[in-house]
Amino acid sequence: MQNNYPQKPGINLMLKQAFFYWNKTLLFQLMFSIVYFGVFFTSIFFFASKYGIWDQQQELMEALKVSTEAYVQKATELGQTENSRYFSYAFLGTMVFLYPLNLGFFQIFRKVDLNEKIELGDLFVGYNGFNFFKYIGYALFWFLVYMMIFRTVLLPVVWVMVTVFVAPLMFFMDKRIFEAISLNFKALRMFFIEIFVCVMVAFLFKYLGFALFLIGGLFTFPFWNAIIYSMYKTIFSEKN
């Protein structure tokens, strides 16, 4: 992190930078969403058919017609089947596989800073070489923890904020997972309000496009990466 602060980085600066990067790369935002949702829905539909999830949904609808209690009982019963477990593994695997796609925006935003030409291949830089396994390893760890605390009210938000800088720290500084989490925690203690507000804005804007403009969500969905890069760039220094 920066050692000397002429003035504490403000929320306005972080948000202004984030919207600048997002607006500057709208075509790549759209391409990201098309690739992401294309792979996601193809995978989910394939595994749902393979493991009979559509038939399970039909059974649930029939149970709901009987009573809410019957629905809950049927859902519990189906959730314990072997096919349901396999589908859950497939869902998790899909999410983990797609995670490195986000890393491409860090490369793209850095190229914007350096006035370098952005190429389509930059979007897939997270899948290059051995780093791919490093990123999916972190994604698996992140999602497993998130799934364990998902039913709680505050812990998922805490987990997001405690890990919000891990990806750029791994990407730009080659930090290990727990070292990056430690640095993230230090940043959170120093800039809690700024990070919290930016995370909330990113979450709202990310899904606002789907809520208000439907197709506009394809542009707003990847905004999260712009806010992360803007905060990372403002708070951390890559100089030794």
Side-chain angles (χ1 to χ4, degrees):
M1 282 178 286
Q2 301 283 4
N3 293 320
N4 299 310
Y5 299 98
Q7 61 180 26
K8 196 172 183 180
I11 297 172
N12 288 340
L13 173 62
M14 295 179 183
L15 293 177
K16 183 177 180 180
Q17 286 182 154
F19 280 103
F20 167 78
Y21 291 123
W22 174 75
N23 185 62
K24 192 80 172 178
T25 58
L26 282 177
L27 178 60
F28 290 92
Q29 308 288 329
L30 177 61
M31 294 172 64
F32 171 96
S33 294
I34 291 175
V35 172
Y36 187 96
F37 288 115
V39 173
F40 177 81
F41 286 116
T42 298
S43 175
I44 295 306
F45 275 87
F46 171 79
F47 287 110
S49 298
K50 179 178 177 64
Y51 295 119
I53 301 302
W54 303 130
D55 294 332
Q56 290 187 9
Q57 293 301 313
Q58 184 62 37
E59 291 183 47
L60 286 173
M61 292 301 101
E62 293 297 327
L64 184 60
K65 292 177 182 179
V66 176
S67 68
T68 302
E69 183 179 337
Y71 175 86
V72 173
Q73 183 177 352
K74 176 60 70 172
T76 303
E77 176 187 326
L78 293 176
Q80 296 175 347
T81 63
E82 188 175 69
N83 278 352
S84 292
R85 289 199 300 273
Y86 286 151
F87 179 74
S88 297
Y89 298 151
F91 180 85
L92 176 61
T94 301
M95 297 298 292
V96 168
F97 175 79
L98 286 170
Y99 179 78
L101 195 62
N102 294 279
L103 279 296
F105 275 115
F106 298 148
Q107 171 108 334
I108 290 171
F109 297 146
R110 179 55 58 88
K111 282 194 170 185
V112 170
D113 287 338
L114 298 175
N115 287 319
E116 295 180 359
K117 182 181 179 182
I118 303 173
E119 301 176 349
L120 178 61
D122 294 326
L123 193 60
F124 303 97
V125 70
Y127 294 92
N128 292 343
F130 179 77
N131 283 336
F132 167 69
F133 299 100
K134 180 173 67 173
Y135 298 140
I136 63 171
Y138 166 65
L140 179 60
F141 166 70
W142 193 94
F143 281 113
L144 286 175
V145 173
Y146 188 83
M147 289 168 63
M148 288 190 292
I149 62 177
F150 179 74
R151 294 180 182 274
T152 64
V153 177
L154 295 177
L155 288 181
V157 178
V158 173
W159 180 237
V160 168
M161 294 184 64
V162 167
T163 58
V164 69
F165 296 120
V166 172
L169 285 168
M170 293 176 66
F171 185 77
F172 290 118
M173 298 189 193
D174 198 28
K175 299 295 185 182
R176 297 183 182 274
I177 294 175
F178 292 106
E179 183 183 5
I181 291 177
S182 176
L183 291 172
N184 194 139
F185 186 73
K186 292 178 182 178
L188 188 60
R189 287 194 302 172
M190 296 176 65
F191 306 102
F192 177 81
I193 297 299
E194 290 83 355
I195 294 173
F196 179 77
V197 172
C198 287
V199 166
M200 292 299 103
V201 170
F203 177 80
L204 291 174
F205 189 76
K206 179 177 181 176
Y207 296 105
L208 190 63
F210 290 113
L212 299 180
F213 309 110
L214 296 179
I215 194 69
L218 297 177
F219 292 96
T220 61
F221 181 73
F223 177 73
W224 174 252
N225 296 296
I227 201 74
I228 292 176
Y229 180 79
S230 177
M231 291 191 295
Y232 166 81
K233 174 185 173 182
T234 305
I235 294 174
F236 290 90
S237 172
E238 295 171 11
K239 297 179 181 178
N240 295 324

